[in-house]
Amino acid sequence: MALDPPTMLTISTALAAAAALYLAVEWRSIRESSLLLWSAGFATITVGSTLALLRMSGFLLIGVWFANGLLVLAHGFFLLGVARFTQVRLSRAWSLIVVAWLALLLLPDEPSWSKVMLVANSLLIALLSLRASFLLRPHGKSLSVGAVQLRYVMLVHGLFYIAKAITAVVPGTLIDLAALRGEIIQISLVEGAMAIMLIALSMTGTERYRREKQIARLAERDPLTALYNRRALEIRAARLLAGVSSARPGALLLIDIDHFKPVNDLYGHTAGDRLLVALSELIRSILPEGALAARLGGDEFVIVLNDASNERVEQMGDLLRKQFHQVASQSFATPEAVTLSIGASLFDQPPASLAVLIEQGDAVLYESKRGGRNRMRLVDRTLAASEPVR
């Protein structure tokens, strides 16, 4: 089968339709609006490529002007999808592209109109493609393989259309949009089919990677408080604890709510959940950079610090107790005050494991509760604390 213009348009139509359907199916499972916008872009290309076949039957208004306009619209959908993916708000000035395209209706019906139409069409598509590529720049963060591929596919696609516009103004270049004649048109049809495949694959890979990252992030978080769960804490604490030394001691604070059960009994479990969320937010507000916080289960929380000191741990513990007591007393009236007991330990040698550290913290927490609750018990296990005073 010869790759003549009608054949290439038919191939592009089939590829675009397949891409639109595939992205729509992906959207049904992932529910990301960017996928829906990209699917709409390929659906628009499907319609535009189908209508483009009518130009050879003499329907120039539909087959040339309207079909090319749909190609510009499709790239507008691509840009909107990228903007939604990168969470960037586009300026309303981009809607002027529609006005620019409508202005082409004023072109005189002369032999030169094909070149003017091609130049205008190419520059508008290049502008949309390059803007989409620019939005996908790293911003100092690593991009997924799909996003990087999409960025460079849109970049090359946009540069191709700039070259296409430049070629169109070279004297002697044959361009006949009505009959699809001209070398640049032939090349453009081939590039269009390749771009459809690459853009569709990149878009799907981009969203799937982000979805997988979201699932992984949810798997390591406590569903109620959004703090790390115990499994995630064990993984992340390993590096922090490995850096503990006499110059940079570490600390663990084990936190437990006093008289939490009466809140559930008197006000219901929903009220108890609200109190747990409030505590998690207080923990986040005082958490220093590089520290870790997690919910171990029930009403028990843990904070792991690096580069700690007795003063720093005591200050954090006292601040957290006071803030929590204020929140709890204002929200829930109970026979006994709802407060915090904290067991803290300071150490300058990497522990055998996080489990050992938590077990030690549990013993200190028990001493804190036995001492009357609503207090913090701190044990200094550093070498400096064990040295005799001279």
Side-chain angles (χ1 to χ4, degrees), residues 39 53-54 81 104 109 114 117 218 235 243 329 338 351 353 365 373:
S39 177
L53 292 169
L54 297 177
L104 295 177
D109 188 11
S114 281
M117 173 73 74
L218 289 173
I235 295 172
S329 61
V338 179
S353 67
L365 176 62
R373 304 177 191 269

Side-chain angles (χ1 to χ4, degrees), residues 174-236:
L174 173 61
I175 296 176
D176 187 347
L177 291 179
L180 288 172
R181 290 191 303 131
E183 187 174 349
I184 187 62
I185 294 178
Q186 303 284 334
I187 296 174
S188 183
L189 290 171
V190 175
E191 187 274 344
M194 293 177 60
I196 287 172
M197 291 188 294
L198 292 174
I199 291 173
L201 290 172
S202 303
M203 288 172 173
T204 306
T206 296
E207 281 292 4
R208 187 171 292 279
Y209 175 83
R210 185 165 73 171
R211 181 62 174 173
E212 289 172 353
K213 292 290 285 184
Q214 288 175 343
I215 292 173
R217 190 161 52 247
L218 289 173
E220 65 179 17
R221 296 285 178 173
D222 171 62
L224 177 64
T225 64
L227 292 176
Y228 288 123
N229 55 33
R230 182 162 187 156
R231 180 173 177 273
L233 179 68
E234 289 175 349
I235 295 172
R236 292 176 176 272

Side-chain angles (χ1 to χ4, degrees), residues 305-359:
L305 302 171
N306 58 358
D307 196 16
S309 65
N310 281 317
E311 294 76 15
R312 188 182 189 189
V313 173
E314 289 175 353
Q315 184 180 16
M316 281 186 61
D318 289 341
L319 179 61
L320 188 59
R321 282 192 311 101
K322 291 176 182 177
Q323 290 182 345
F324 179 77
H325 178 61
Q326 184 177 4
V327 170
S329 61
Q330 290 176 351
S331 302
F332 307 106
T334 54
E336 295 180 279
V338 179
T339 56
L340 292 182
S341 289
I342 302 175
S345 57
L346 194 71
F347 50 93
D348 58 3
Q349 297 295 320
S353 67
L354 179 66
V356 171
L357 199 58
I358 291 176
E359 187 177 344

Side-chain angles (χ1 to χ4, degrees), residues 140-173:
K141 300 178 181 179
S142 60
L143 291 174
S144 68
V145 174
V148 171
Q149 182 176 322
L150 179 58
R151 180 190 178 199
Y152 286 109
V153 169
M154 296 303 291
L155 175 62
V156 173
H157 190 58
L159 293 176
F160 171 81
Y161 271 90
I162 289 179
K164 183 177 173 181
I166 294 173
T167 305
V169 298
V170 174
T173 304

Side-chain angles (χ1 to χ4, degrees), residues 12-132:
S12 295
T13 301
L15 290 173
L21 179 61
Y22 184 68
L23 289 167
V25 171
E26 285 291 301
W27 172 79
R28 291 191 64 181
S29 61
I30 298 179
R31 293 292 176 176
E32 290 288 349
S33 56
S34 53
L35 281 175
L36 198 58
L37 288 166
W38 290 335
S39 177
F42 283 114
T44 305
I45 290 177
T46 303
V47 176
S49 298
T50 302
L51 295 179
L53 292 169
L54 297 177
R55 70 181 69 185
M56 286 170 287
S57 300
F59 298 99
L60 299 184
L61 181 63
I62 296 177
V64 178
W65 180 83
F66 192 67
N68 284 2
L70 287 180
L71 188 59
V72 175
L73 178 62
H75 285 78
F77 279 126
F78 292 160
L79 175 59
L80 288 173
V82 170
R84 188 62 59 89
F85 173 77
T86 55
Q87 299 179 342
V88 174
R89 191 177 185 87
L90 291 173
S91 168
R92 292 185 179 180
W94 286 95
S95 60
L96 294 176
I97 287 180
V98 177
V99 178
W101 184 255
L102 290 174
L104 295 177
L105 281 173
L106 303 176
L107 286 175
D109 188 11
E110 297 177 355
S112 62
W113 77 273
S114 281
K115 286 192 174 184
V116 177
M117 173 73 74
L118 186 66
V119 170
N121 184 79
S122 298
L123 291 178
L124 290 176
I125 291 175
L127 183 63
L128 293 166
S129 300
L130 293 176
R131 178 56 175 160

